[in-house]
């Protein structure tokens, strides 16, 4: 597959929805040790709703506007901190694709780069703060390199997944600075950040969705 059309976006994100349904309990258990214990519920509910939100807000021939509108609606479905970050990332990613009828390798990389930027802007976080950004930012960088090297969609998402996996591993040596995780910082040593893991799962879900198209 060389491109993803606008009307294929719901099917693409069905892969993410399915994966978070599978990982819900695992993420909740991880989050219970460092946070509120609802991370899995948030990701499952938000991304579970996204495919239908994309269908309901489809802007024919404009993937960017479709993502922006669906992301805005998603923010009301999961009005939590992580839900807001996810919807902000999707909306920012949509802005980068405004007017695009199809997503090729370069556009997919641009979406991931803008997604990471949206999270950084909304969350006021930096790489190294032990957040989801530590997974999605290196994922975006890897995707950009793969696209620039002439990789197809599968190569771009595979590179992004590998970049995210490395980012998750790196969080084991980071100290949390936000929320309840910061209070339990001593428990974080040697343990991957749950938000970063969720970021990795999002990319795995996109890879699954892409392979099913």
């Amino acid at each position: 597959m060389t491109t993803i059309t606008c009307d294929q976006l719901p099917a693409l994100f069905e892969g993410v929805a399915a994966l978070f349904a599978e990982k819900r309990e695992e993420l909740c258990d991880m989050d219970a040790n460092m946070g509120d214990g609802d991370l899995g519920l948030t990701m499952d509910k938000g991304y579970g709703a996204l495919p239908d939100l994309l269908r309901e807000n489809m802007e024919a021939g404009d993937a960017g506007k479709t993502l922006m509108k669906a992301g805005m609606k998603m923010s009301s479905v999961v009005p939590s901190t992580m839900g807001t970050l996810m919807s902000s990332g999707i909306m920012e990613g949509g802005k980068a694709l405004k007017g695009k009828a199809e997503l090729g390798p370069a556009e997919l990389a641009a979406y991931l780069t803008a997604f990471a930027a949206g999270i950084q802007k909304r969350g006021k976080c930096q790489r190294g703060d032990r957040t989801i950004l530590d997974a999605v930012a290196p994922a975006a960088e890897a995707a950009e390199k793969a696209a620039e090297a002439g990789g197809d969609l599968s190569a771009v998402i595979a590179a992004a997944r590998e970049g995210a996996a490395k980012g998750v591993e790196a969080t084991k040596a980071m100290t949390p600075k936000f929320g309840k995780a910061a209070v339990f910082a001593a428990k974080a040593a040697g343990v991957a950040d749950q938000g970063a893991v969720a970021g990795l799962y999002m990319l795995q879900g996109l890879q699954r969705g892409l392979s099913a198209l």
Side-chain angles (χ1 to χ4, degrees), residues 2 5-6 25 35 43 50 58 66 70 85 91 93 99 101 122 129 132 134 140 143 166 171 176 190 201:
T2 56
T5 61
C6 185
E25 296 306 320
M43 302 304 283
L50 186 57
M58 185 64 65
T66 299
L85 289 176
M91 286 188 283
R122 184 69 177 183
D129 286 347
I132 186 173
D134 290 303
K166 291 178 179 177
T171 64
Y201 287 162

Side-chain angles (χ1 to χ4, degrees), residues 153-177:
L153 287 169
S154 295
V156 169
I157 199 63
R161 177 178 175 174
E162 184 177 346
K166 291 178 179 177
V168 168
E169 186 65 24
T171 64
K172 293 180 179 180
M174 297 176 187
T175 302
K177 299 180 181 179

Side-chain angles (χ1 to χ4, degrees), residues 101-180:
E102 298 180 337
L103 280 65
E107 288 76 24
L108 179 56
Y111 171 80
L112 294 175
T113 297
F115 181 91
I119 286 180
Q120 183 172 17
K121 180 180 178 181
R122 184 69 177 183
K124 296 180 173 57
C125 53
Q126 303 294 327
R127 290 176 65 169
D129 286 347
R130 192 182 155 96
T131 69
I132 186 173
L133 185 65
D134 290 303
V136 296
E141 289 179 354
E144 291 281 3
K145 289 179 180 178
E148 290 170 2
D152 60 8
L153 287 169
S154 295
V156 169
I157 199 63
R161 177 178 175 174
E162 184 177 346
K166 291 178 179 177
V168 168
E169 186 65 24
T171 64
K172 293 180 179 180
M174 297 176 187
T175 302
K177 299 180 181 179
F178 296 97
K180 290 186 177 181

